[in-house]
Amino acid sequence: GEPFTWEDDGTRLGNVQIGAKAEVLQGEHEISTQFILSLPTSAGTFGAEGVDVAWGVLGAYDMEPASLYWGANVSYFTDHSLGGVEYHPWHGSFFAAAGMPILENVGATIALVSTTQLVENIPRYPDNDLYLDVSLRHRVDTGRSWGVLVRENPLHPRKTTDVTLLVFAEVTF
């Protein structure tokens, strides 16, 4: 197929996401469920124009000082098209990760994320993806943290030529 490029340069904020999480099991083994609502607040190819929803299950195992994490989710996109790309309305993913503190109030996490087919109308686009995520999180205090995540696609490196850099802030109520 022909190379595909979005002509939407720059740096912008993506869609605003609101989430809720409920703990199902607490202790050495933790399990929770999570709901995320994505609102169409971005412009251009930096965010979809529809309201998207996701539901997932998350797990953690504390091994002091390290922790293991896993999760699976399913997402539904109400707007299936963005900048000429047609997306499957339903999308699933799974992750496995390990994390540990590296400094006081700073932790590092490495994760593998596997996803189902996302794009419908680009020939030879892979039926799945595998991403490698590396992140650092600084806990400011109870309920507030910020961090940075770098993502690369080691399974299909010729499919995408970008590296994702995500800077995030989190507030827990």
Side-chain angles (χ1 to χ4, degrees):
E2 295 295 315
F4 178 82
T5 303
W6 275 327
E7 300 295 333
D8 198 355
D9 295 336
T11 302
R12 297 189 184 119
L13 295 176
N15 289 347
V16 168
Q17 294 185 349
I18 301 169
K21 183 174 161 183
E23 292 181 346
V24 177
L25 180 66
Q26 294 179 344
E28 187 177 335
H29 298 276
E30 294 184 2
I31 296 177
S32 60
T33 184
Q34 183 175 21
F35 175 79
I36 299 172
L37 179 68
S38 177
L39 303 174
T41 56
S42 187
T45 58
F46 288 84
E49 294 181 9
V51 175
D52 303 326
V53 294
W55 175 81
V57 176
L58 306 167
Y61 176 66
D62 188 3
M63 301 184 330
E64 286 295 329
S67 297
L68 299 177
Y69 307 98
W70 60 269
N73 81 356
V74 62
S75 301
Y76 179 73
F77 305 120
T78 60
D79 180 17
H80 307 187
S81 179
L82 179 62
V85 177
E86 296 294 323
Y87 294 92
H88 285 283
W90 292 96
H91 183 65
S93 66
F94 172 81
F95 79 89
M100 67 180 302
I102 57 173
L103 297 170
E104 186 177 344
N105 296 327
V106 177
T109 303
I110 186 166
L112 285 175
V113 181
S114 177
T115 67
T116 61
Q117 185 175 6
L118 180 61
V119 175
E120 293 181 333
N121 68 328
I122 297 178
R124 299 187 323 182
Y125 194 91
D127 290 342
N128 58 30
D129 282 307
L130 179 70
Y131 296 103
L132 174 64
D133 291 355
V134 177
S135 65
L136 294 174
R137 176 186 303 261
H138 178 261
R139 185 171 310 278
V140 178
D141 56 30
T142 302
R144 294 187 310 157
S145 62
W146 66 273
V148 62
L149 177 139
V150 177
R151 169 175 280 181
E152 182 51 81
N153 184 349
L155 186 61
H156 305 290
R158 294 187 60 197
K159 180 184 77 175
T160 57
T161 58
D162 61 342
V163 172
T164 301
L165 174 65
L166 174 68
V167 177
F168 60 90
E170 182 177 70
V171 177
T172 304
F173 300 99

